Amino acid sequence: MKAIADATLSLKVCTIHCTIELTTECTLAILRPQGRRSSLLDDAPRPGLPGVKLLNTLLKLANARKVVRKLGAADASTKVLVIYDLYTQHNVEPLAIALNEIGAPLHLLQVTGSAVHGVQLSDITAAAMKEADLIVGMTRANIAHTAARQEATRAGARVIVLPESDGAGFFGASGWDADFDALRPEIDGLAEAFTNASVARVTSALGTDVTLSIAGRRGRSLNGFANTIDISAGYGLESSVAPVEGTANGMIVVNGSIPGVAVIQDEPVRIEMRDGMAVSIEGGREADAFRTLLESFNDPLVYNLGELGVGMNPKCTLDGTMLSDESVYGSIQLALGTSAYIGGLTKAAAHYDTVLIDSTLELDGKVVLRNGQVFPEGRA
């Protein structure tokens, strides 16, 4: 298995090596002041890449460097694996240049890609991931909720997942402007509050009132920085936890978005929870679309309440993308489906978040979120 993975990676490395050299040459030529010559570059053949493409790459480069250097903490000794798909390959080049700048060994692995979040990766991909120090999952579908990602983390790899990175403006998203260092203590603090609590309750003026147990579950700090305990989601910043199965009861009124489905526009989506499972999904066209999507998996476990989280990035707004919507500061995520790869027990065919705004979160009776303000220590 390792031999197959190594062969696959070697082919990709060869391909990207040429791209890096050509693009770096063109980039340097553009940036070089007029009248200044470099015998190495000026005497070399010009690859003839369109100027617009080069400009787009340059615009993406600053935040690609942020992924590599700040969040990934990569250096020349870091074995880096970038997983991408047919939909995201146009955003790989800035990452490759950023890694080339620091001399990090780069390996590329292209997968077919999926529109469904939580679809499992192949054995070949899983084997390659275990060999890397740092993995960047630049894919349309989220690879966080996969066995391959979990096994790579357990093997000591640092994983940065970048779902829905197929957009041309992905590296230009406002979420990248977050002050990661300043936000880190607050995100870590709320994750610790989840760990220390037994019961969570979410309420809102629109009618949300759902209670669930989180006893014995570890809070997750997605503060952006890659680590060997959990994932980084780039600018997708949150504190979250996997609820205890079978304990969620009440009503969820979704008024923000359902990433991968739609931003809520017509009317809120009402989800009734009973003993940990969604038993009804009602509302307008967004509710119909979400219900139809879940039914298409033909898996009763996709109705499991699989995650409770709080968005922690003040630079994010609701725009219909997963990383931004789930990270809106002070928003609440209540996800249906898989929880096994974030501390729960359920393995479902998919994992889909719902995003609530203007809601209140209590942990063991103490308010930790109200009116978009987070209080990690809790307020009685």
Side-chain angles (χ1 to χ4, degrees):
M1 184 65 70
K2 184 176 184 298
I4 295 175
D6 287 343
T8 303
L9 296 180
S10 296
L11 288 173
K12 295 301 182 181
V13 171
C14 179
T15 301
I16 197 63
H17 180 70
C18 299
T19 303
I20 292 171
E21 290 191 339
L22 292 178
T23 304
T24 302
E25 178 180 330
C26 288
T27 299
L28 290 173
I30 289 175
L31 294 177
R32 187 185 309 118
Q34 289 186 346
R36 180 179 178 183
R37 293 180 59 83
S38 165
S39 58
L40 176 63
L41 293 179
D42 291 334
D43 294 338
R46 294 288 180 244
L49 283 163
V52 172
K53 180 181 178 182
L54 286 173
L55 180 59
N56 286 337
T57 298
L58 288 174
L59 292 174
K60 298 173 182 179
L61 194 52
N63 287 325
R65 287 174 176 144
K66 189 172 292 186
V67 171
V68 169
R69 301 181 186 183
K70 186 173 190 65
L71 304 184
D75 58 30
S77 67
T78 307
K79 294 185 296 182
V80 182
L81 172 64
V82 176
I83 301 172
Y84 68 106
D85 58 35
L86 299 174
Y87 308 96
T88 63
Q89 56 187 354
H90 58 91
N91 277 328
V92 171
E93 191 170 57
L95 271 182
I97 294 173
L99 287 162
N100 186 63
E101 288 174 339
I102 63 172
L106 170 63
H107 306 83
L108 282 180
L109 180 58
Q110 186 181 63
V111 297
T112 303
S114 172
V116 178
H117 299 299
V119 171
Q120 298 301 308
L121 299 171
S122 71
D123 291 342
I124 291 176
T125 305
M129 291 172 73
K130 292 177 184 178
E131 299 298 320
D133 298 321
L134 175 66
I135 300 162
V136 181
M138 177 162 275
T139 50
R140 184 168 69 162
N142 193 359
I143 68 169
H145 302 278
T146 64
R149 194 284 305 167
Q150 186 182 56
E151 291 168 3
T153 299
R154 289 174 175 171
R158 308 190 305 278
V159 183
I160 301 176
V161 299
L162 300 175
E164 297 184 352
S165 49
D166 53 320
F170 175 75
F171 278 117
S174 60
W176 292 114
D177 296 330
D179 188 337
F180 292 93
D181 293 304
L183 291 166
R184 188 174 192 170
E186 188 175 41
I187 299 171
D188 292 349
L190 186 52
E192 184 178 359
F194 279 133
T195 299
N196 295 333
S198 296
V199 178
R201 183 188 182 198
V202 180
T203 59
S204 75
L206 289 178
T208 294
D209 194 344
V210 62
T211 302
L212 51 133
S213 172
I214 55 174
R217 294 291 166 86
R218 179 183 63 82
R220 307 170 65 229
S221 176
L222 274 60
N223 54 36
F225 295 92
N227 59 86
T228 58
I229 298 174
D230 211 322
I231 62 167
S232 159
Y235 69 81
L237 307 182
E238 67 176 60
S239 303
S240 58
V241 67
V244 176
E245 291 74 13
T247 64
N249 286 284
M251 180 64 68
I252 299 170
V253 182
V254 184
N255 62 337
S257 79
I258 303 175
V261 178
V263 173
I264 306 302
Q265 296 179 340
D266 286 352
E267 64 177 285
V269 175
R270 297 180 299 278
I271 304 173
E272 182 182 355
M273 301 299 306
R274 188 181 304 157
D275 297 332
M277 306 292 284
V279 295
S280 70
I281 300 174
E282 303 295 337
R285 59 179 181 175
E286 293 88 1
D288 293 340
F290 190 37
R291 188 173 54 251
T292 299
L293 173 65
L294 295 180
E295 289 173 351
S296 71
F297 295 113
N298 194 30
D299 178 4
L301 294 180
V302 297
Y303 299 99
N304 168 68
L305 188 68
E307 184 178 9
L308 163 65
V310 176
M312 300 293 283
N313 191 334
K315 297 296 185 179
C316 287
T317 58
L318 291 176
D319 63 8
T321 63
M322 175 184 290
L323 289 187
S324 188
D325 287 7
E326 295 180 16
S327 303
V328 171
Y329 190 88
S331 65
I332 289 179
Q333 309 158 30
L334 288 163
L336 298 183
T338 295
S339 66
Y341 309 113
I342 59 171
L345 302 176
T346 300
K347 294 183 180 181
H351 176 104
Y352 277 86
D353 289 84
T354 68
V355 178
L356 289 62
I357 55 176
D358 300 324
S359 298
T360 298
L361 171 63
E362 300 174 28
L363 297 179
D364 292 340
K366 293 183 178 181
V367 174
V368 296
L369 170 68
R370 177 182 285 153
N371 298 327
Q373 288 187 285
V374 177
F375 314 105
E377 300 299 324
R379 288 191 174 183

